[in-house]
């Protein structure tokens, strides 16, 4: 963290300048109004350049990694909360949930890359399986799942060009409880899925591959060794103690690297009646998971946090992304004078 400590003062100074120069109401901005207001980079170019340099140095330093899943399904945005360029600058990776990009999203991606933030997208085996199952029930799909999987993978992998990396999501089922026939079928489907993913990685050595899911459900897969991080599915746990249990369960499978675990936690729902999403009891899951990440472990390393439904946290009365920022600061606190 030495490099981070050296650079943080410059980051904070520039951040205060940003707030002073560009205070406005994000809640009422719309895409239909194009106000050409000068940005911080135009008003204070030297300060902003220094801020970007220090920010990039921080992201290259030893710190807890933070991913953020971002729902970018709205292609005609009507609030700044639908722009990744308004996400906290200290995020390491933003994961776009819809890989078909609009022009404004390409511009936003260029903006966050200036800050050292990478942009990934995800391909989910389980989503493809659900889509096929639903279409079979509806009578709109009559082909086999293996053929459907191949076609969908080819479509999704073709969208990779604008992105810095890819998240391969696989939850699956525990093979211990499968019949031999089901296990053989699951293995064949896994091989098809990760074969395409590994082929992409081999052709894109400059881009990052991340796994998200349940490592214990993999059957004879070596893909984890080439993954930058392993994101464990923990957004449904009910307390921080279960995060360690999930990590230990992941290590039951053979060949799972123990030095790259990232846990997930969700922001709270925009539905005020939902008192479970994003909570451990009455406490916010983001904060509790962030404190857990800062602790020590025996047998595995706590590398960082992946935030589900990040865009929901934009809408706070006191501060945009208030609880995302709080979680980041818990894991990577500013040094005290």
């Amino acid at each position: 963290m030495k490099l981070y400590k050296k650079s943080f003062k410059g980051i904070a100074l520039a951040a205060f300048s940003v707030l002073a120069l560009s205070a406005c109401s994000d809640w009422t901005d719309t895409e239909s109004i194009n106000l050409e207001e000068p940005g911080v980079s135009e008003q204070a170019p030297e300060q902003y350049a220094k801020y970007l340099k220090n920010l990039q140095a921080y992201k290259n330093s030893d710190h807890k990694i933070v991913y953020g899943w971002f729902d970018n399904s709205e292609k005609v945005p009507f609030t700044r909360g639908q722009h990744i360029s308004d996400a906290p600058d200290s995020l390491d990776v933003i994961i776009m949930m819809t890989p078909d990009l609009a022009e404004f999203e390409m511009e936003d991606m260029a903006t966050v890359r200036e800050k050292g933030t990478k942009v990934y997208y995800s391909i989910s085996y389980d989503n493809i399986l659900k889509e096929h199952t639903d279409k079979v029930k509806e009578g709109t799909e009559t082909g086999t799942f293996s053929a459907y999987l191949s076609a969908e993978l080819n479509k999704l992998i073709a969208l990779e060009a604008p992105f810095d990396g890819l998240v391969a999501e696989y939850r699956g089922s525990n093979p211990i409880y499968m019949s031999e026939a089901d296990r053989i079928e699951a293995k064949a489907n896994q091989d098809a899925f990760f074969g395409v993913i590994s082929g992409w990685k081999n052709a894109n050595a400059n881009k990052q591959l991340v796994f998200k899911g349940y490592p214990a459900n993999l059957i004879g897969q070596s893909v984890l060794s080439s993954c930058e991080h392993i994101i464990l599915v923990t957004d449904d746990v009910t307390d921080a103690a279960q995060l360690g249990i999930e990590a230990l369960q992941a290590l039951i499978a053979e060949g799972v690297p123990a030095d790259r675990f990232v846990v997930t936690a969700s922001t709270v729902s925009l539905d005020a009646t939902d008192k479970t999403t994003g909570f451990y009891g009455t406490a916010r899951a983001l904060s509790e998971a962030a404190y857990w990440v800062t602790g020590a472990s025996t047998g595995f390393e706590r590398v960082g946090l992946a935030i589900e439904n990040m865009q929901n946290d934009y809408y706070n009365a006191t501060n945009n992304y208030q609880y995302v920022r709080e979680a980041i600061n818990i894991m990577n606190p500013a040094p005290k004078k």
Side-chain angles (χ1 to χ4, degrees):
M1 300 296 291
K2 291 183 178 179
L3 180 56
Y4 167 53
K5 292 180 179 180
K6 290 180 180 177
S7 64
F8 185 84
K9 185 176 181 181
I11 294 177
L13 177 62
F16 283 123
S17 300
V18 169
L19 291 174
L21 292 169
S22 62
C24 63
S25 176
D26 288 333
W27 285 68
T28 56
D29 286 356
T30 63
E31 289 303 301
S32 59
I33 299 176
N34 185 20
L35 299 178
E36 294 296 334
E37 296 182 356
V40 177
S41 58
E42 289 82 16
Q43 295 184 52
E46 292 184 3
Q47 285 180 300
Y48 188 66
K50 183 177 180 180
Y51 169 69
L52 291 180
K53 182 179 179 180
N54 289 337
L55 186 60
Q56 292 167 358
Y58 155 66
K59 292 186 181 180
N60 288 325
S61 71
D62 180 20
H63 67 286
K64 298 297 184 181
I65 301 298
V66 185
Y67 288 82
W69 254 266
F70 192 92
D71 182 355
N72 64 312
S73 56
E74 179 56 64
K75 299 304 178 181
V76 184
F78 49 87
T79 167
R80 293 303 307 176
Q82 293 163 333
H83 288 260
I84 64 169
S85 53
D86 281 52
D89 292 351
S90 46
L91 281 165
D92 293 283
V93 180
I94 296 173
I95 304 168
M96 306 283 261
M97 295 176 65
T98 304
D100 290 305
L101 301 177
E103 183 177 350
F104 83 91
E105 292 176 305
M106 299 293 288
E107 295 172 356
D108 282 356
M109 287 171 71
T111 298
V112 301
R113 283 193 179 108
E114 286 186 344
K115 303 169 185 177
T117 303
K118 296 177 181 178
V119 184
Y120 297 0
Y121 78 111
S122 63
I123 297 179
S124 169
Y125 173 92
D126 299 276
N127 285 351
I128 296 173
L129 177 59
K130 184 180 184 304
E131 289 170 3
H132 179 262
T133 302
D134 291 344
K135 289 180 178 180
V136 169
K137 290 179 180 179
E138 295 166 359
T140 58
E141 176 62 50
T142 59
T144 64
F145 173 63
S146 59
Y148 187 84
L149 175 64
S150 178
E152 289 300 303
L153 280 173
N154 289 334
K155 285 194 295 186
L156 291 169
I157 209 73
L159 300 173
E160 63 84 26
F163 297 95
D164 304 305
L166 171 64
V167 180
E169 299 189 38
Y170 185 89
R171 300 192 183 198
S173 300
N174 194 322
I176 293 176
Y177 304 106
M178 293 180 184
S179 66
E180 183 61 23
D182 287 344
R183 191 177 186 279
I184 291 172
E185 182 181 6
K187 176 72 165 64
N189 289 330
Q190 277 187 28
D191 288 347
F193 180 73
F194 288 110
V196 172
I197 298 297
S198 296
W200 167 84
K201 176 56 181 171
N202 291 336
N204 293 274
N206 61 321
K207 296 188 177 185
Q208 297 298 330
L209 174 61
V210 173
F211 173 85
K212 179 189 177 187
Y214 299 117
N217 290 347
L218 298 177
I219 306 171
Q221 293 291 331
S222 60
V223 66
L224 296 181
S225 62
S226 60
C227 292
E228 181 183 22
H229 296 120
I230 298 171
I231 301 178
L232 305 176
V233 179
T234 59
D235 53 292
D236 57 349
V237 305
T238 56
D239 60 67
Q242 294 179 48
L243 298 174
I245 295 173
E246 292 292 334
L248 292 174
Q249 287 181 338
L251 290 172
I252 293 174
E254 185 178 352
V256 177
D259 61 348
R260 60 197 73 176
F261 284 168
V262 173
V263 294
T264 55
S266 178
T267 62
V268 301
S269 173
L270 293 178
D271 178 1
T273 65
D274 183 351
K275 301 300 183 182
T276 57
T277 301
F279 288 99
Y280 293 164
T282 58
R284 286 184 179 264
L286 275 191
S287 300
E288 296 300 304
Y291 280 118
W292 181 88
V293 168
T294 65
S297 295
T298 300
F300 64 90
E301 186 175 348
R302 309 179 187 192
V303 173
L305 177 66
I307 301 172
E308 303 272 10
N309 305 306
M310 182 181 70
Q311 72 287 336
N312 289 354
D313 195 48
Y314 176 86
Y315 304 98
N316 288 293
T318 56
N319 188 20
N320 297 338
Y321 291 108
Q322 176 179 344
Y323 297 101
V324 170
R325 298 178 195 276
E326 178 184 280
I328 295 172
N329 191 57
I330 289 170
M331 293 181 288
N332 300 299
K336 296 181 179 180
K337 293 183 179 179

